[in-house]
Amino acid sequence: MKISGDWLDHPGTQALCAVLAKAGYQALFVGGCVRNALLDVPVADIDIATDAAPEIVSNLAETAGFRVVPTGIEHGTVTVIAQGVAHEVTTFRRDVETDGRRAVVAFSTNVAEDAARRDFTMNALYARADGTVLDPLGGLPDLIARRVRFVGEAEARIREDYLRILRFFRFYAVYGDPVRGIDVEGLSACATNVNGIDGLSRERIGAEMRKLLGARDPAPAVATMAQTGILARVLPGSDAKALSVLVHVEGDLPPRWQRRLVILGGTDPGGALRLSRAETGSNVAIRDEIGSTLTPAALGWKHGRAGATDTVLCRAALFEAPLPRNWQSEILRGVTSTLPVTAADLMPALQGPALGKKLHEIQARWLASDLYLRKSDLLA
Ligand code: ATP
Ligand code: MG
């Protein structure tokens, strides 16, 4: 079995592998890039596993003229930028000690040991520089069947790192087979260890949830998370009911995690998932706008294309109402419109707070008119 892809053939990537090989070390692609190449879906980032120690990787790469950034040196990772492409190069590891959040690792020269500490069998696939796939744990049949299965005993693996609960649902959402359903052993191990989620950092939870909610159809995974009480831990006060309707309403539109998060609600999604200030701001704005009567064009003007699209889709899902006619072109009409009245039109007759108040009132009338009132109408 061989994988292929432009990323694999890239001269920078091949050069980096050749530098390690020439010095007598293994350089194996691992994780997402191998998994995605086998599934024929786009490869986002390149992870390389090696039996060379991190300092050796750094020295060899620098001598070859590549830029090296020690991005995770304490757990054996350096980023090597070769001809413009970033590679996360990590020395083979085995866990020495785990506490459910952080692991103490030791470097290893054995790929089987490295595979054994990875989370799911489909993530423990390796490939040589020529694309030959190595499958030390028999992950390939699982990948082909889209079976997200823990490496080893699910319960034990979750106790080592509770983030794996969220990764289990994330990988099921993105790569699983909803017809076959979620792996039962994995699910029951997640359900008995819900308490472990409370000890995780909100950043790590947030990073997994973004990816999970960005899946084509995260609804089956999220529904299962809700049934097992995991969703309530991750996003208190949320409600998963309307998510599947939203996914249905979205049709072929590109998924957006932000939109899915709006529909889930929650008392404080910004805090629960450590969203940025801007992300929290748009989450609140869209949630507030769902109940308004603004037309798609008005929404486009006020919130931009993405925010308006999210509002229209969430409304349709929550109220189980049809989508407005021509809503996408109407949003674009709004995005490209300008409020016909400016402050200059009202000055000097109005100044200061009175000016602001008048402008605000004019804006509200213009939005309520579906952006059709003209300057003369608005000033009349
Ligand atoms: P993507 O980058 O597309 O989200 P990925 O599989 O590359 O998917 P990463 O989070 O980048 O996911 O992790 C890279 C690899 O490291 C995984 O494929 C897996 O083998 C391993 N890994 C990551 N996090 C864990 C973890 N918490 N426990 C065990 N192994 C992990
Ligand atoms: Mg990755």
Side-chain angles (χ1 to χ4, degrees), residues 2-5 7 29-47 122-127 133 140 143 146 170-171 174-175 211:
K2 267 196 170 193
I3 54 169
S4 59
W7 64 272
F29 299 108
V30 65
C33 58
V34 180
R35 181 195 65 227
N36 289 15
L38 285 162
L39 291 174
D40 206 18
V41 300
V43 165
D45 45 38
I46 305 175
D47 290 303
M122 63 166 62
N123 287 346
L125 292 163
Y126 299 74
V133 174
L140 207 46
L143 179 70
R146 294 182 168 267
R170 192 251 277 198
F171 283 98
V174 180
Y175 301 106
K211 291 184 176 175

Side-chain angles (χ1 to χ4, degrees), residues 31-32 35 45 117-119 123 161 164 167 170 211:
R35 181 195 65 227
D45 45 38
R117 69 169 292 284
R118 293 186 181 268
D119 45 10
N123 287 346
D161 177 2
R164 290 174 187 157
R167 291 179 63 87
R170 192 251 277 198
K211 291 184 176 175

Side-chain angles (χ1 to χ4, degrees), residues 106-159:
F107 298 135
S108 163
T109 52
N110 181 342
V111 65
E113 273 184 343
D114 187 75
R117 69 169 292 284
R118 293 186 181 268
D119 45 10
F120 308 111
T121 57
M122 63 166 62
N123 287 346
L125 292 163
Y126 299 74
R128 296 206 182 95
D130 68 356
T132 311
V133 174
L134 307 183
D135 181 10
L137 303 177
L140 207 46
D142 284 338
L143 179 70
I144 290 161
R146 294 182 168 267
R147 221 167 15 226
V148 180
R149 217 159 48 84
F150 281 94
V151 169
E153 202 204 320
E155 174 89 33
R157 302 312 308 284
I158 289 171
R159 286 174 189 280

Side-chain angles (χ1 to χ4, degrees), residues 200-320:
L200 295 171
S201 83
R202 297 277 142 194
E203 284 84 356
R204 294 179 83 202
I205 296 179
E208 289 300 327
M209 287 303 287
R210 285 164 196 249
K211 291 184 176 175
L212 190 160
L213 293 175
R216 182 82 254 167
D217 183 3
V222 173
T224 312
M225 289 173 75
Q227 281 156 18
T228 43
I230 292 165
L231 186 66
R233 294 292 173 122
V234 171
L235 195 60
S238 58
D239 186 341
K241 268 203 305 291
L243 180 61
S244 61
V245 189
L246 174 68
V247 172
H248 178 77
V249 169
E250 287 175 352
D252 289 332
L253 290 167
R256 264 171 50 85
W257 64 265
Q258 296 94 327
R259 185 194 302 143
R260 277 75 178 273
L261 185 59
V262 166
I263 211 89
L264 293 179
T267 40
D268 176 22
L273 305 181
R274 274 283 188 285
L275 303 185
S276 72
R277 204 183 266 267
E279 288 164 349
T280 306
S282 22
N283 180 279
V284 172
I286 304 306
R287 279 171 73 167
D288 288 349
E289 203 68 88
I290 288 174
S292 85
T293 54
L294 289 189
T295 59
L299 293 170
W301 180 82
K302 194 171 163 192
H303 298 289
R305 188 176 181 175
T309 302
D310 293 354
T311 310
V312 169
L313 293 168
C314 287
R315 266 186 198 161
L318 279 172
F319 305 149
E320 300 192 25

